[in-house]
Amino acid sequence: MDYLEGLNKEQRAAVEQIQGPVMIIAGAGSGKTRVITYRVAHLIRKGVDSFNILVLTFTNKAAREMRERINKVVGNEAKNIWMGTFHSVFAKILRVEADKIGYPNNFTIYDTDDSKSVIRAILKELNLDDKLYNQNFVLNRISAAKNNLVSWQAYQQNEQIQAEDFTSGRGQMGKIYETYASRCFRAGAMDFDDLLFKTNELLRDHPEVLNKYQHKFKYLMVDEYQDTNFSQYLIVKKLAAVNENLCVVGDDAQSIYAFRGANIQNILNFEKDYPDLKIFKLEQNYRSTQNIVSVANSIISNNKEQLKKNVFSEKETGDKIKVIRAFSDNEEGKIISEEIMQQRTTNGLKWNDFAILYRTNAQSRSMEEGLRKLNIPYKIYGGLSFYQRKEIKDLVAYFRLTFNPNDEEALKRVINYPRRGIGDTTIDRIILSAGQNNITPFEVIMNPAKFLDGRSSASVGIFATMIQSFQVVTKTMTAYDAALHIAQHSGLLKDLYEDKSVEGLNRYENIQELLNGVKEFSEREDIEEKGLDVFMQDIALLTNDDKDKNKDADTVSLMTIHSSKGLEFPRVHVVGLEENLFPSQMSLNSRSDLEEERRLFYVAVTRAEHKLTISYATSRFKFGTLINCEPSRFLDEIDARYLELDFTAKPAPSAGSGSFFDDERNAWTRKSNTSSSGDSFSKPKAATAPPVKTTSVLAKAHVPSPNFKPSDTSNLQVGMEVEHERFGFGKVISLEGNKPDIKATIFFKEIGQKQLLLKFAKLFIIS
């Protein structure tokens, strides 16, 4: 039991509670992974058969780490646990049970590019405007339907859905969904959403299968439960229905994937499904300093929908959180880059100790410019992954076609690569003939003389024979030997080798790297099945954390906050804290959307271990136009006692280029002076309907008088007329407080009443 000694009291209690429904609310940095792994190990130590344990995660990385840790406690029994992502585990089940829902066991898994290709073909066939029916919109619409378990039949019969489509001018969405589903089925292919959608269908329509897995998986654990969608929720609930030994682990404060279908209500209402639920709260943060934790707590406390917890840290108090104001997005990039350079030099750090997090990918431009000017190496995460490169997808398409000749997308991708004289017209004729005769395109090319003319028939026939030969020889080969054989005999390796350009050499090296990956897979000891078909399934189910081949490079990390979830860095810069950017303009229509944005900010803050910096710009280019920006309402919600303000950036010289400089400084100072009482900024708190922002100042900024110069305001009196460099002309209507913190209430002609702290107000006394 020595493995339990390193757990704190609450962690140990959660590990030892192995019977019945359990919810572990795990605050950021609270040792969640350790608790899950030790709980699984504890189950096995208590006599539970490792084959009867199912652990579901959201990344392969998390599953790998957990299995390695469990192995250290219980040894080889760890290999028997069903552990992996939702998609990988249920793909494994579908491989066994697919015939029951009409699919081949060797079905292909389509990635996003494959799905978009199918949709493009459908739009072309139906003669639909691809601008109105944007392929991303169409795919997201179908994905949302599947995640809510809405089949194409139910989609077409739902009056509300149909009304929405017709109102938006997309009345053919139901037909597109039907054709897409039919095309995937004909190709023996499932997209990512199908892996869950079809599992639900399998468990719903085949009670004997449901019964089989209910009794197999006697103990279930689900990581990141707050990120589950309706489809995942229903699968878990069905599988746990017999034994109810279900443990879910998560943090409602880190639920940030509603746009992908995640439903925070799954964790908020978990107790309603299991009234005898036992709840454990992991509240000690082992990652961050107390100041960082305190800032995070003050942010998330503003959300109404949450499971209350009191996260704390016993690490050092740490530096205050620096808040930087820049007058433009370019200056923000410059300041952040200089900060990173200075901190690295002063503290002897590595570049990969730093991360820059932003709300949208577009914000990376100004950050990149600042880093490049100082020759700071950086890497943008979320870009083109290794497995998305053309040459990799080409070779993998050959692999796919070898094991599933009905895979239409793979066929179209490689039938004329390398070039074989099979043009687009011939390919279109193959697809058309398949549709007209209700057969697959591969069946057409198996009988080319029947469907094609003589010249193209010969080339197509040679290609078909080659694929058939691959199917035969790979049955007796290892994964690596099969992959190398296909790469060589398809002509792909030769074609890339003969391209002596820099790009060609890079592509050839990438193919070599893929083959190296297959070799490593073939020699792994932790898996039993090592065929090329299993390798293909592995790479099809890779999550984003697995796709980067340069994870350990010494570079500054740039990424969206969504991409940063699950990661941690010694020093974090969160940039772009401005209204309509963060929170985003799209989130200001409802409380639930705004609260998700606040959770996103919470996630950003809690990525930091030792030092956190927050920044914003008072102006930013948008669609080629310089716009004024207002500081984010989220800054109002941070207790000022934990902040260090850096307002050294000066406004641009032209009038109106800055925004809220003085009242902003006043507000921060006012809050700092009263922080012990917990006062907040003067700006109103977010309500169900977010407060309407005053735009007149932004739209028509005051131009200071030529003789404008801040006056000595120590003798300012009620009734005096004054000028403010941005708010314009006004009259003092009241004074309150004692020196040096006297506050003046001034009525400005253009914008109305404002309260300013005189020592920062910079007023010009007119009379």
Side-chain angles (χ1 to χ4, degrees), residues 596-641:
E596 171 132 341
E597 286 287 293
R598 189 176 287 112
R599 292 194 295 270
L600 190 60
F601 187 31
Y602 177 87
V603 166
V605 166
T606 54
R607 298 312 91 199
E609 297 173 353
H610 304 302
K611 189 170 183 63
L612 171 68
T613 303
I614 300 171
S615 61
Y616 65 94
T618 58
S619 64
R620 183 176 295 273
F621 274 99
K622 188 173 183 180
F623 303 117
T625 303
L626 188 67
I627 61 167
N628 291 307
C629 305
E630 180 183 354
S632 169
R633 68 187 68 195
F634 294 155
L635 293 174
D636 298 353
E637 299 170 356
I638 302 175
D639 192 324
R641 79 185 82 176

Side-chain angles (χ1 to χ4, degrees), residues 716-742:
L716 189 71
Q717 297 177 19
V718 173
M720 283 187 172
E721 292 186 352
V722 296
E723 182 184 9
H724 185 278
E725 65 179 351
R726 207 173 58 74
F727 300 143
F729 299 98
K731 188 172 185 177
V732 180
I733 57 176
S734 72
L735 295 168
E736 60 181 278
N738 300 314
K739 293 181 180 180
D741 297 318
I742 297 176

Side-chain angles (χ1 to χ4, degrees), residues 140 227 350 578 733:
N140 289 338
D227 292 336
K350 295 180 179 179
E578 299 141 32
I733 57 176

